[in-house]
Amino acid sequence: MKKIIFLISCLFITLLMTAQNRTQPKPGPSPTVNIGKPKSFELPNGLKVLVVENHKLPRVSFTLTLDNMPYVEGAKKGVSNLTSSMIGNGTTKITKEAFNEEIDFLGADISFYNSGASGSGLSKYAGRILELLADGALHPNFTQADFEKEKSKLLESLKADEKSVPAVARRVENILGFGPAHPSGEYINETSINQVTLDDVIANYNTYFVPENAYLIIIGDIQLAKVKKQVEKLFGGWPKAAAPKIPFTEPTDVTQTQINFIDMPNAVQSEISVMNVTNLKMSDPDYFAAIVANQVVGGDFNSYLNMNLREKHGWTYGAGSSINASKYTSRFSTFAQVRNAVTDSAVVEVLKELKRIRTEKVAEDVLQNVKAGYVGRFVMQIEKPQTVASYALRLRTQNLPENFYENFIKNINAVTSDDVLRVAYTYFKTDQLRIVVTGKGSEVASKLAELNLPIFYFDKFGNPITEKKDAPTLPAGLTASAVISNYLNAIGGEKAARNVQTVISTATGLVQGFPVELTTKTSASHQQVREIKAMGMTMLKQVVNDKSTYVLQQGQKVPLSTTEIAALKAAAVPFEELDLLNKKTISLKGIEAFNETDCYVVQDGINSFYFACNSGLKLGESKSVETKEGTLTETTSFGDYKAVNGILFPHKTTLNIGMEIELTTTDIKLNAAIPASDFE
């Protein structure tokens, strides 16, 4: 129900964190790579077919890719998303239910999207899998009912993204980095989705789902002669057509390095991305040196950025970088999530590491280890059919030589420290960087403004903000105790809250895709037990009683500091606000927007509580927890208040610890007897 911060934090770390002590293997001799050479043929309609026979396993995979030029959707941005989601909902010949049932019966995987389709399964079913893939791709069943359903799902996902700091950060990074008139810069919104009709989806499919730039890659236990006849039969009737090629505005870098700041009042961490345009192509002579340089600065676990921000300073779970090679526009970018308090320092350190890679030769042992790690991952990937398919496709679409991947390892190993220095200076433009920071303005913006870099402010949709609104002023005479008293009155009264001696609640939700159930039993005598189950198993258990406080994480006790124990005991009551009410250390900080609602901010040490100015209800709280990974600051949002025995309780709890975890309370019991043994 509330105050689940420490327990969920432990679960988050359990599910997400991998081993800390990673040792880089010593470089060995370069392996020999033999990638299956495809045999090819082309249909009269323009479909190119590449077949790689591999009879080691009785499996086959099909990948249909439409290599069309990106395009701007404009006022109806989202039509391609809806097209993607509607392809595969059955065909004009088979109902959606029958289609999906047969796929399951065959044990196959088939997916569809607006730029192609893919399928895989046992080779004895290869013929039928290809028939289903072709039927779904070429004869989609677009209905108004499915359109309305997919549109509603897309709109719901947009609503969820509006409060997600990472989602907003990615959107604005693309808007600013590419420009709103670029295919990678324009974004979906409610207005654009509501302008899309079923006819638009059908028109989008008919315009862009065409064979002129289509490639069908077939890999596995298959015979060329047999599959060629089937492909000709299934795809030969696909009408010949070419997708339009509409030019768009190419992005450019800023004229000087600058900070672009997006205020997200609910952010507990800042999203930092430093970027510039590169336009690197896989066919460029600098390609191999550029990807090695990227590995050194941010692509590897032992990279400059990760060793600095994570290992040295403990500011983040991970920091890195990427450099894309594309037929069209590409860019270099770094990424990191850091605590609000160290956002400005993290920006300084990122810039320092980018300067380092441009001005200092990488140490030879570091370079050799980075190359060995990259080669090792390359070798592992080529064992996968999907990888072989993507390589075969890139050879054709990127105009690469036929021996590109056979020579891949040799070209990586040929990169020298001089090469790294040269390409870093060329592609990592420290004098034209766009530093995009998405975070809590009240805690971050003023420190960023002191970095002696130009700083510009943008809203959540990349629109520049020229005037900053003055923060609302507090009513004269209002105190922190009065705000808390108003909250207690809003939920049903202080007397009613004090009459609650026990609370038993159950909540459900998802953590990284795993369904979880949280059961909480709390007594007014500062006793509490919380238990989180995932897939029927107890993952975490937190117990607070008059003798001890402990946390069990997968059956093992988690060491707790004195401050952690004190915090857990303070929160182990039905209403923590009753204790806060007369606490001398609380103060009224001011008025801030929390989830776009003006709230009074009550502070108790490093913890903040947000009470809506209009309703008095508590909408959230921000707390800090010291873990072995460092300080973890978390914001919990409360909503959907419902009455239980005359007292309002929040039934929606959203925990933000860099990702959002939403829990829905399904049951609350007040003043029910709790056996003393439950708290042991």
Side-chain angles (χ1 to χ4, degrees):
M1 185 172 60
K2 62 177 183 174
K3 309 205 176 44
I4 56 175
I5 292 174
F6 185 83
L7 196 60
I8 293 287
S9 300
C10 291
L11 178 62
F12 176 74
I13 292 170
T14 299
L15 294 175
L16 294 186
M17 292 305 297
T18 55
Q20 293 289 315
N21 299 319
R22 307 184 190 185
T23 57
Q24 191 73 266
K26 292 183 179 180
S30 298
T32 301
V33 175
N34 294 310
I35 299 176
K37 289 293 184 182
K39 298 174 182 177
S40 62
F41 60 93
E42 184 172 339
L43 300 189
N45 58 15
L47 173 66
K48 275 73 69 178
V49 184
L50 308 176
V51 181
V52 179
E53 293 189 37
N54 186 330
H55 303 286
K56 292 181 180 179
L57 294 174
R59 296 193 62 82
V60 65
S61 68
F62 305 95
T63 306
L64 176 66
T65 301
L66 309 181
D67 185 40
N68 294 328
M69 181 176 176
Y71 56 94
V72 175
E73 297 176 31
K76 294 189 177 183
K77 175 63 179 174
V79 63
S80 62
N81 298 72
L82 289 169
T83 304
S84 274
S85 60
M86 292 187 69
I87 300 176
N89 285 339
T91 77
T92 55
K93 303 174 184 178
I94 310 174
T95 65
K96 177 168 55 177
E97 292 73 18
F99 191 84
N100 292 333
E101 284 178 9
E102 185 167 5
I103 292 173
D104 291 339
F105 175 77
L106 297 175
D109 291 314
I110 301 181
S111 301
F112 300 92
Y113 25 91
N114 71 312
S115 60
S118 62
S120 63
L122 294 174
S123 53
K124 65 180 179 179
Y125 300 130
R128 185 55 180 159
I129 293 172
L130 185 56
E131 286 178 0
L132 291 171
L133 185 145
D135 194 21
L138 304 186
H139 307 105
N141 188 29
F142 294 133
T143 68
Q144 189 66 39
D146 281 339
F147 172 75
E148 296 298 339
K149 180 180 178 181
E150 297 300 335
K151 179 179 175 180
S152 296
K153 287 164 59 177
L154 185 53
L155 288 171
E156 282 301 313
S157 70
L158 289 179
K159 290 179 182 178
D161 284 348
E162 289 316 298
K163 294 180 182 179
S164 168
V165 178
V168 170
R170 300 297 88 75
R171 177 174 65 206
V172 180
E173 287 163 11
N174 287 333
I175 294 170
L176 298 179
F178 291 101
H182 187 278
S184 297
E186 61 173 358
Y187 61 90
I188 302 172
N189 57 64
E190 185 176 350
T191 300
S192 68
I193 289 298
N194 283 327
Q195 293 190 62
V196 178
T197 66
L198 178 59
D199 287 340
D200 293 322
V201 169
I202 295 172
N204 180 269
Y205 171 84
N206 290 333
T207 301
Y208 292 99
F209 211 98
V210 292
E212 178 65 27
N213 296 313
Y215 294 81
L216 177 62
I217 301 172
I218 304 170
I219 297 175
D221 186 24
I222 200 99
Q223 292 180 347
L224 174 63
K226 183 177 179 180
V227 78
K228 182 178 180 182
K229 290 181 180 179
Q230 191 178 19
V231 169
E232 290 172 341
K233 177 183 176 182
L234 296 174
F235 292 90
W238 193 3
K240 181 179 178 65
K245 296 180 179 179
I246 304 172
F248 46 79
T249 304
E250 291 291 344
T252 57
D253 286 317
V254 291
T255 56
Q256 60 177 326
T257 294
Q258 60 183 248
I259 297 173
N260 296 168
F261 184 75
I262 302 92
D263 185 16
M264 289 287 287
N266 65 317
V268 297
Q269 297 183 101
S270 293
E271 298 273 343
I272 302 174
S273 181
V274 179
M275 64 183 71
N276 64 257
V277 176
T278 64
N279 287 323
L280 180 69
K281 315 295 183 198
M282 293 186 70
S283 56
D284 288 345
D286 284 340
Y287 173 72
F288 292 98
I291 59 176
V292 170
N294 177 70
Q295 289 297 108
V296 172
V297 75
D300 193 82
F301 181 83
N302 293 310
S303 67
Y304 291 176
L305 289 171
N306 203 51
M307 289 296 102
N308 185 325
L309 272 65
R310 173 184 164 128
E311 298 300 296
K312 179 181 178 180
H313 289 104
W315 290 341
T316 178
Y317 287 127
S321 67
S322 65
I323 187 165
N324 299 322
S326 169
K327 286 175 63 175
Y328 305 100
T329 306
S330 56
R331 67 181 177 184
F332 165 76
S333 62
T334 72
F335 51 86
Q337 290 181 332
V338 302
R339 304 194 309 274
N340 291 340
V342 298
T343 301
D344 56 323
S345 300
V347 169
V348 171
E349 294 302 313
V350 171
L351 295 179
K352 183 178 83 173
E353 298 302 347
L354 292 180
K355 180 180 178 181
R356 175 186 174 192
I357 190 73
R358 282 167 47 96
T359 57
E360 299 177 14
K361 282 189 179 182
V362 58
E364 194 60 33
D365 61 329
V366 172
L367 178 61
Q368 294 305 319
N369 283 333
V370 164
K371 291 193 293 187
Y374 195 86
V375 166
R377 288 186 290 273
F378 171 78
V379 172
M380 287 193 299
Q381 287 298 314
I382 61 175
E383 298 297 324
K384 301 176 182 179
Q386 314 92 284
T387 303
V388 177
S390 67
Y391 288 173
L393 179 64
R394 287 177 194 167
L395 290 178
R396 302 304 190 277
T397 60
Q398 300 273 359
N399 296 318
L400 302 176
E402 286 295 324
N403 61 356
F404 181 85
Y405 286 105
E406 278 76 5
N407 291 332
F408 197 94
I409 294 175
K410 182 180 72 175
N411 287 327
I412 288 290
N413 285 333
V415 175
T416 67
S417 57
D418 285 326
D419 293 329
V420 170
L421 191 66
R422 173 178 54 80
V423 297
Y425 191 85
T426 301
Y427 293 101
F428 310 156
K429 305 173 184 176
T430 53
D431 56 345
Q432 289 182 281
L433 292 172
R434 191 185 290 274
I435 306 166
V436 184
V437 181
T438 306
K440 188 173 183 177
S442 60
E443 297 181 6
V444 172
S446 60
K447 292 182 179 179
L448 289 173
E450 297 174 1
L451 295 182
N452 295 322
L453 289 170
I455 183 168
F456 303 95
Y457 300 89
F458 297 86
D459 66 16
K460 295 192 297 183
F461 300 96
N463 299 309
I465 298 174
T466 55
E467 295 182 9
K468 294 189 65 71
K469 296 180 180 179
D470 294 331
T473 56
L474 288 168
L478 186 65
T479 65
S481 294
V483 170
I484 295 175
S485 181
N486 290 338
Y487 161 73
L488 293 170
N489 289 333
I491 65 172
E494 180 181 340
K495 181 178 179 181
R498 292 191 182 279
N499 286 335
V500 176
Q501 296 302 301
T502 65
V503 178
I504 301 175
S505 67
T506 303
T508 59
L510 293 174
V511 178
Q512 287 293 288
F514 293 94
V516 298
E517 180 181 81
L518 168 66
T519 302
T520 306
K521 299 178 181 180
T522 306
S523 165
S525 58
H526 284 275
Q527 296 188 97
Q528 186 177 75
V529 58
R530 298 184 186 275
E531 185 176 15
I532 290 183
K533 290 185 176 181
M535 297 174 289
M537 297 184 294
T538 298
M539 302 296 292
L540 286 153
K541 187 175 183 180
Q542 170 189 305
V543 177
V544 178
N545 58 46
D546 54 353
K547 297 179 181 179
S548 64
T549 298
Y550 65 90
V551 171
L552 289 177
Q553 182 177 330
Q554 292 183 315
Q556 301 295 318
K557 277 196 174 183
V558 178
L560 301 176
S561 66
T562 303
T563 55
E564 287 170 349
I565 292 173
L568 291 175
K569 284 186 174 181
V573 286
F575 298 96
E576 187 179 2
E577 293 74 26
L578 291 172
D579 292 336
L580 287 174
L581 185 60
N582 298 311
K583 201 172 182 180
K584 294 182 180 180
T585 56
I586 63 172
S587 61
L588 188 57
K589 179 182 177 183
I591 297 176
E592 292 183 14
F594 187 90
N595 287 344
E596 301 182 357
T597 300
D598 283 345
C599 292
Y600 296 121
V601 184
V602 174
Q603 280 196 312
D604 179 28
I606 61 175
N607 300 325
S608 298
F609 304 86
Y610 300 85
F611 299 90
C613 296
N614 53 4
S615 67
L617 295 174
K618 185 170 70 170
L619 300 189
E621 60 188 27
S622 177
K623 293 190 173 184
S624 294
V625 178
E626 288 293 335
T627 74
K628 63 182 180 179
E629 301 299 327
T631 302
L632 182 64
T633 302
E634 303 146 333
T635 294
T636 307
S637 302
F638 305 110
D640 192 21
Y641 277 82
K642 297 178 182 178
V644 178
N645 296 354
I647 301 177
L648 294 178
F649 287 85
H651 282 61
K652 286 285 186 185
T653 304
T654 304
L655 180 68
N656 188 327
I657 49 177
M659 58 167 285
E660 288 195 344
I661 301 170
E662 184 176 282
L663 295 172
T664 300
T665 301
T666 56
D667 184 58
I668 298 177
K669 293 183 176 67
L670 304 184
N671 294 325
I674 302 176
S677 59
D678 285 3
F679 297 118
E680 295 177 356

